[in-house]
Amino acid sequence: MEEQQKKRRRFPGWAKIVIAVVLTLVLTLGAVAGAAVVVFGKDGIALMQGYLLAKFSFVETDADLSKAVDSALDGMVEGLGDRWSYYLDPESYQNTLQSRANNYVGIGVTVSYDREDGLLVQEVTEEGPAQQAGVKAGDVITHVDGTSVAGDARYEATDMIAGEEGTQVELTLLGEDGTTRTVTCTRQTLKSDSVSSKLLDNGVGYVRLDNFYSGAASSLSREVQSLMDQGATSLVLDVRSNPGGYVAELIAALDYLLPEGPVFTERPRWGKETVYESDASCVDLPMVVMVDANSYSAAELFAAQLRESVQAPIVGEVTSGKGYAQLTFPLVNGGGLGLSVSAYCTGGGHSLIGEGIQPDVELSLDDSGTDNQLQAAIDLLLK
């Protein structure tokens, strides 16, 4: 009995509680570590180890770890071997979100480099900062914030005019009447329309699609309807140098133009294959599509589906051959990780991966100064 009491004194009640807590923590941490190995794998944990070692062991305590993380994420994406996946640092990610919303921060002018003495203003956005400050088409921007933009400096001038929303930029303008004046513009977020159109001779309606980001489908239907109201009897749809965009905008655009039938097939990593259908309502006009080597993704599928559904001829160059859709995942550091998460095909199941579109009329732009590809498209419609 005495010996048993002595043993009990070695492990009083509070000690038992401490031992139980420690054992629980050990078991919990072991379980968490085991789960981490299952979830992240050894490679994922090695990435985290590398960051912690750099943070607490690297001799230069003021090292820029955010730059190191950017480089590591860039390297990880490069290691995937997929040319379509990407990493965006925080600034690039915000700029990308803005451009995909078809918005931009600026003063609302379209300029050219035709003049040696500065930037020639070709168009001024209605109600934009430039118009409100009195800038007019035909003005020449000769100085930006007092710095001359004549000669080769004019090629850097648009970067000088760009800036953060709410900030100001001072422009010195040379008017068409030869007088000089100075105006101040306050930069703001402006809407950039991704679709434009004009009625050409012989009832040919020309529609230019710059991208398939936010609002593209509704802009397309508005422009096509406007052309038909003006008497258009055929359409040229130009997706040259179009980088693609959102699947939802592509499907809506195809649904508007095409008769009933399949228009897009998606094959995700997770989930079942989905075939999207167009309804019976359509634009019943002859159409030709223009593409080039810089027509990507949704732009390629747009052209391919028009040919598949209504036999619309395609004019231009062999396209890029992109066949994966990406999702851009926001990251806690403010950046974004774009990963290919699904393959896509035409409604009939044809993939463009690695082959692109072979045009019906293969033709590169010549050096004549005229758009020979557009003329070839018009010729097909007028046959």
Side-chain angles (χ1 to χ4, degrees):
M1 178 68 72
E2 179 66 21
E3 183 63 23
Q4 288 177 345
Q5 289 176 346
K6 288 181 181 179
K7 287 181 179 179
R8 288 193 188 104
R9 291 192 192 104
R10 292 177 187 172
F11 299 98
W14 63 267
K16 293 179 180 179
I17 294 174
V18 171
I19 292 171
V21 169
V22 170
L23 287 173
T24 300
L25 285 172
V26 169
L27 290 172
T28 300
L29 291 173
V32 169
V37 171
V38 171
V39 173
F40 299 109
K42 292 182 179 179
D43 293 332
I45 292 175
L47 284 173
M48 290 185 278
Q49 281 182 304
Y51 177 81
L52 291 172
L53 288 168
K55 184 174 180 65
F56 296 109
S57 300
F58 185 49
V59 66
E60 296 184 13
T61 57
D62 60 346
D64 187 352
L65 284 182
S66 63
K67 184 176 181 181
V69 169
D70 287 340
S71 298
L73 287 166
D74 264 331
M76 185 189 74
V77 171
E78 184 178 351
L80 294 175
D82 176 26
R83 62 179 290 202
W84 309 114
S85 295
Y86 52 84
Y87 167 68
L88 299 170
D89 62 38
E91 182 179 358
S92 299
Y93 180 52
Q94 290 304 313
N95 291 337
T96 298
L97 290 178
Q98 187 176 77
S99 67
R100 289 179 179 178
N102 278 318
N103 293 330
Y104 70 98
V105 175
I107 62 170
V109 291
T110 302
V111 298
S112 75
Y113 304 107
D114 296 341
R115 296 275 296 249
E116 283 286 333
D117 52 349
L119 295 177
L120 175 63
V121 178
Q122 294 183 311
E123 296 180 22
V124 182
T125 302
E126 286 286 332
E127 302 302 322
Q131 187 186 69
Q132 293 173 17
V135 180
K136 301 176 182 178
D139 286 340
V140 177
I141 302 172
T142 60
H143 294 74
V144 178
D145 288 330
T147 301
S148 172
V149 292
D152 289 343
R154 69 189 188 278
Y155 298 110
E156 310 297 328
T158 53
D159 290 335
M160 296 166 65
I161 294 171
E164 294 183 3
E165 184 174 17
T167 59
Q168 294 184 327
V169 59
E170 184 182 86
L171 306 178
T172 302
L173 305 170
L174 175 63
E176 291 184 292
D177 60 359
T179 60
T180 299
R181 66 190 190 280
T182 299
V183 300
T184 299
C185 304
T186 302
R187 302 176 179 100
Q188 68 182 53
T189 299
L190 299 167
K191 185 70 177 175
S192 175
D193 205 334
S194 60
V195 184
S196 58
S197 69
K198 58 183 175 181
L199 185 63
L200 307 178
D201 294 338
N202 299 305
V204 176
Y206 170 81
V207 183
R208 165 72 190 168
L209 295 90
D210 290 325
N211 60 62
F212 284 91
Y213 291 122
S214 296
S218 60
S219 294
L220 172 65
S221 61
R222 183 191 67 237
E223 295 297 327
V224 171
Q225 185 60 55
S226 174
L227 289 170
M228 291 192 294
D229 290 344
Q230 297 173 61
T233 55
S234 61
L235 296 174
V236 173
L237 300 162
D238 185 356
V239 292
R240 292 176 294 181
S241 297
N242 183 314
Y246 296 137
V247 167
E249 295 290 339
L250 168 65
I251 294 170
L254 291 172
D255 181 26
Y256 169 70
L257 292 171
L258 296 176
E260 187 173 6
V263 295
F264 184 80
T265 303
E266 185 175 24
R267 296 169 178 165
R269 175 180 176 179
W270 304 104
K272 297 180 179 179
E273 175 180 299
T274 301
V275 179
Y276 296 87
E277 302 266 345
S278 172
D279 60 24
S281 176
C282 65
V283 174
D284 190 16
L285 295 178
M287 291 179 273
V288 174
V289 193
M290 299 170 65
V291 299
D292 64 11
N294 294 313
S295 297
Y296 289 92
S297 188
E300 294 179 275
L301 263 294
F302 179 78
Q305 192 59 55
L306 283 165
R307 180 163 64 183
E308 184 172 283
S309 293
V310 294
Q311 294 74 56
I314 299 174
V315 174
E317 301 169 333
V318 177
T319 60
S320 59
K322 184 173 183 286
Y324 293 143
Q326 290 73 44
L327 276 181
T328 304
F329 299 91
L331 302 177
V332 293
N333 71 339
L337 186 63
L339 293 176
S340 297
V341 295
S342 63
Y344 52 66
C345 310
T346 65
H350 179 65
S351 172
L352 302 178
I353 295 175
E355 63 180 63
I357 294 174
Q358 182 66 45
D360 298 280
V361 178
E362 188 170 351
L363 184 66
S364 296
L365 281 174
D366 60 27
D367 298 325
S368 65
T370 61
D371 192 339
N372 59 309
Q373 292 175 331
L374 176 58
Q375 187 57 55
I378 293 171
D379 290 344
L380 284 174
L381 290 170
L382 298 181
K383 276 186 177 180

